[in-house]
Amino acid sequence: MTNDATKNKMVNSTRYGSIVQLYHKANGDITYYACYEDPRKRDKSGKPLRIRLKIGSKSEGITEHYVKAKRDEIITQLRLGEIPEPIKRKRQRELFTFKSLAELYFEERLTKNGDSIESVNIKKDTSILNNHLTGFFKYGIEDISTDKIEKLKLEKTQKLAPKTVNNILIVLSAILNFGVRTGKLAAVPYIKKLNGIDNARQRYFTKIEIKQILEHVKTNWV
């Protein structure tokens, strides 16, 4: 709760410190700012200027997690010599739809896992996304609720094998957890898989994992 002493005052985030700042308005709303140094702009002494960029307000659905994520994006763009894209004054759920979050999720998997076996797994999961989760594409990530997931599960259960339904839920859960990990989503809604089903998905070891297993066996041979 905000007390009178913090109203109409700029304060640092208790979680992220001075890189995320909050301005508490008298009406109880909060405006969030991302703070960073821009090497393209210098003061008279030659030091990079500190920029305080307005991201949005709590009433618009903006959170500290989201501001931190946007700041990280800006810092990365500056490091690569790119011009940061302007912040659009929209609600968080409009900025990040489930479709855009899924695209970022698979982009990260492709970047971090380049071996052929993982590529097959990515292809399978992408197929699940495009064949069974397109109904969520129109939703903002904060709009995906347990009720919507239960409705999806009921619809799929009437047409598909239980194990297939669980695999759909696994992909959905992975995408939403990615949203939490990257600060674009506050929390993952409760997802209950079907009971009494072997949910283990066939998985192949990567080359690195195979090498680690062989090394372990070589040093622990009985």
Side-chain angles (χ1 to χ4, degrees), residues 209-222:
E209 290 171 329
I210 292 172
K211 183 178 179 180
Q212 292 173 339
I213 292 172
L214 291 176
E215 288 294 328
H216 179 76
V217 172
K218 183 171 65 176
T219 57
N220 295 274
W221 187 263
V222 178

Side-chain angles (χ1 to χ4, degrees), residues 6-214:
T6 60
K7 289 182 179 179
N8 295 313
K9 182 180 179 181
M10 189 77 71
V11 296
N12 293 336
S13 165
T14 56
R15 176 169 294 183
Y16 300 112
S18 61
I19 64 174
V20 175
Q21 293 189 327
L22 296 67
Y23 182 80
H24 293 269
K25 298 182 179 180
N27 63 2
D29 201 2
I30 302 174
T31 302
Y32 294 96
Y33 295 83
C35 302
Y36 59 93
E37 292 183 347
D38 191 338
R40 303 169 303 167
K41 302 175 182 179
R42 304 277 174 169
D43 60 19
K44 293 181 180 180
S45 63
K47 296 181 180 179
L49 284 178
R50 178 175 169 81
I51 305 298
R52 180 188 289 133
L53 179 65
K54 180 180 178 181
I55 303 299
S57 301
K58 182 178 180 180
S59 60
E60 298 173 318
I62 303 299
T63 66
E64 291 185 38
H65 292 290
Y66 176 73
V67 178
K68 172 62 165 53
K70 293 304 296 182
R71 181 188 181 275
D72 289 345
E73 291 178 12
I74 293 171
I75 295 298
T76 299
Q77 289 174 318
L78 289 172
R79 187 181 299 119
L80 296 175
E82 301 174 354
I83 300 176
E85 296 181 0
I87 304 297
K88 297 179 180 179
R89 301 291 185 245
K90 293 184 179 181
R91 295 172 65 88
Q92 180 179 358
R93 60 175 58 109
E94 293 173 344
L95 286 169
F96 285 100
T97 62
F98 177 76
K99 181 179 180 181
S100 63
L101 183 66
E103 290 172 349
L104 291 174
Y105 166 73
F106 282 107
E107 181 180 334
E108 182 186 72
R109 284 184 64 181
L110 286 168
T111 301
K112 292 186 175 181
N113 304 283
D115 61 69
S116 58
I117 295 176
E118 174 62 6
S119 295
V120 171
N121 291 334
I122 292 174
K123 186 176 181 180
K124 290 179 180 178
D125 290 346
T126 302
S127 177
I128 289 176
L129 173 73
N130 293 328
N131 289 323
H132 303 292
L133 293 172
T134 54
F136 281 0
F137 281 5
K138 63 184 178 181
Y139 294 123
I141 53 177
E142 296 287 354
D143 291 328
I144 297 178
S145 63
T146 298
D147 288 343
K148 287 186 175 68
I149 295 171
E150 285 297 312
K151 182 179 180 181
L152 169 75
K153 186 168 68 175
L154 178 61
E155 292 174 352
K156 297 301 179 181
T157 302
Q158 295 173 350
K159 303 176 183 178
L160 303 171
K163 186 175 181 180
T164 302
V165 176
N166 278 348
N167 287 340
I168 294 170
L169 298 176
I170 289 171
V171 172
L172 173 61
S173 178
I175 294 171
L176 295 178
N177 275 292
F178 167 79
V180 173
R181 177 167 59 82
T182 55
K184 296 175 177 60
L185 181 64
V188 176
Y190 178 63
I191 300 176
K192 182 180 180 181
K193 295 191 287 292
L194 298 176
N195 295 325
I197 303 298
D198 180 8
N199 292 324
R201 301 180 64 189
Q202 185 176 13
R203 179 182 179 276
Y204 300 94
F205 291 113
T206 64
K207 293 179 181 178
I208 295 176
E209 290 171 329
I210 292 172
K211 183 178 179 180
Q212 292 173 339
I213 292 172
L214 291 176

